[in-house]
């Protein structure tokens, strides 16, 4: 039997990059996956890709920074599938990268609205249903929360908030049977990663010298970690942020 057979999994920001890779991995393991994001065209394409590989998936458009959207998203999942077992809070943006003086309050609110408010809202509305299934939440943080990288003040702060949100929510929810953990990716070859570094080539150049394994990671590296944290095998792992960075932070 596959690890997530008959389980229902919600992946926010699930149309590209780490989100799509993780949605595909859950589907391969038998889950019924609901992919959510803001852009419907990409959502439909993601679902078709999963279904073409034999997986079960559907799409629901939502902006996680808007509470009405999140409420409708969770209601849709439960109405269609009668349960919710796992949430991967992946929706996020890097926002504008640059010196503090070049950034605005609008830039700040945009990143925190999606990365932090969005994750908190999804947790809030999914919680009653996850308590019924004794389910799991996995949030997506970043090594940017732990590195002093010039130009990333807003993004790094938002990911630091995710790490803290994960830890505090895990303690609050542990006795309800809901486990909360997070993954913290290092440089991963995605469209967001390319934007963050300026190009994939720039990312590879950075990783060749800064990352002990000598190369960026792949979406599969993160997906496998998310599936582990969401699985019964990780039943005693609570409130942790699993760093997946090729040794970057171990130096």
């Amino acid at each position: 039997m596959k690890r997530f057979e008959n389980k229902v999994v919600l992946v926010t920001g699930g149309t590209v990059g780490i989100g799509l890779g993780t949605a595909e991995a859950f589907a391969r393991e038998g889950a019924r996956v609901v992919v959510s994001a803001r852009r419907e065209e990409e959502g439909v394409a993601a679902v078709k890709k999963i279904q073409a590989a034999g997986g079960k998936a559907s799409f629901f458009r939502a902006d996680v920074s808007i509470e009405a959207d999140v409420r409708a998203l969770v209601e849709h999942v439960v109405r269609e599938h009668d349960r919710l077992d796992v949430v991967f809070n992946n929706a996020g943006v890097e926002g504008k990268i640059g010196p503090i003086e070049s950034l605005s309050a609008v830039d700040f609110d945009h990143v925190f609205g999606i990365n932090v408010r969005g994750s908190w809202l999804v947790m809030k509305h999914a919680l009653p249903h996850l308590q019924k299934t004794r389910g799991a939440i996995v949030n997506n943080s970043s090594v940017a929360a732990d590195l002093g990288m010039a130009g990333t003040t807003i993004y790094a702060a938002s990911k630091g908030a995710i790490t803290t949100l994960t830890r505090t929510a895990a303690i609050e929810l542990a006795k309800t049977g809901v486990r909360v953990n997070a993954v913290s990716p290092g440089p991963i070859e995605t469209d967001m990663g390319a934007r963050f570094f300026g190009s994939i080539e720039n990312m590879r150049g950075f990783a060749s010298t800064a990352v002990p394994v000598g190369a960026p990671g792949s979406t599969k590296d993160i997906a496998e970690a998310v599936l582990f944290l969401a699985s019964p095998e990780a039943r005693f792992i609570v409130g942790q942020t699993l760093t997946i960075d090729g040794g970057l932070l171990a130096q």
Side-chain angles (χ1 to χ4, degrees):
M1 185 175 179
K2 295 179 178 179
R3 277 190 290 173
F4 292 92
E5 198 78 46
N6 301 319
K7 302 296 185 183
V8 176
V9 177
L10 170 61
V11 178
T12 66
T15 59
V16 295
I18 290 170
L20 176 57
T22 305
E24 291 174 314
F26 272 118
R28 283 194 298 271
E29 288 290 341
R32 289 174 283 165
V33 181
V34 178
V35 172
S36 180
R38 291 176 294 171
R39 291 182 285 275
E40 189 159 355
E41 185 175 345
E42 290 182 358
V44 171
V47 165
K48 286 182 178 178
K49 184 179 181 184
I50 293 169
Q51 292 173 339
K56 300 172 184 175
S58 60
F59 174 75
F60 189 88
R61 198 211 71 79
D63 181 337
V64 296
S65 69
I66 301 173
E67 186 164 18
D69 278 19
V70 173
R71 184 184 296 111
L73 168 61
V74 174
E75 288 175 351
H76 165 80
V77 173
V78 177
R79 184 172 60 249
E80 292 297 313
H81 300 288
D82 296 321
R83 61 186 294 141
L84 177 58
D85 298 276
V86 177
V87 168
F88 179 35
N89 253 329
N90 172 72
V93 294
E94 75 278 14
K96 186 176 177 181
I97 304 298
I100 291 176
E101 63 270 20
S102 72
L103 307 174
S104 69
V106 172
D107 297 324
F108 185 96
D109 291 344
H110 173 61
V111 173
F112 267 73
I114 295 172
N115 295 6
V116 185
R117 174 185 166 92
S119 296
W120 184 85
L121 284 172
V122 173
M123 291 174 66
K124 172 187 173 181
H125 288 281
L127 182 57
H129 309 289
L130 292 170
Q131 287 174 332
K132 292 177 183 177
T133 59
R134 300 182 72 82
I137 297 169
V138 182
N139 295 322
N140 198 355
S141 185
S142 169
V143 295
D146 300 294
L147 289 172
M149 297 176 67
T152 69
T153 52
I154 297 176
Y155 177 74
S158 77
K159 291 304 184 176
I162 291 296
T163 299
T164 302
L165 173 64
T166 297
R167 186 167 57 248
T168 52
I171 298 305
E172 181 176 324
L173 302 178
K175 287 183 171 59
T176 74
V178 178
R179 290 186 307 106
V180 185
N181 291 289
V183 290
S184 181
I188 304 295
E189 291 202 9
T190 62
D191 290 344
M192 181 186 286
R195 292 193 302 270
F196 196 91
F197 283 91
S199 69
I200 288 293
E201 289 70 26
N202 287 349
M203 176 190 285
R204 291 171 179 165
F206 167 83
S208 69
T209 57
V211 177
V213 300
S218 71
T219 58
K220 182 179 179 182
D221 296 318
I222 310 305
E224 291 301 328
V226 173
L227 266 64
F228 168 68
L229 290 174
S231 74
E233 286 79 7
R235 66 177 187 83
F236 207 53
I237 300 176
V238 175
Q240 300 302 305
T241 297
L242 177 58
T243 301
I244 310 149
D245 67 351
L248 180 60
L249 293 186
Q251 302 174 98

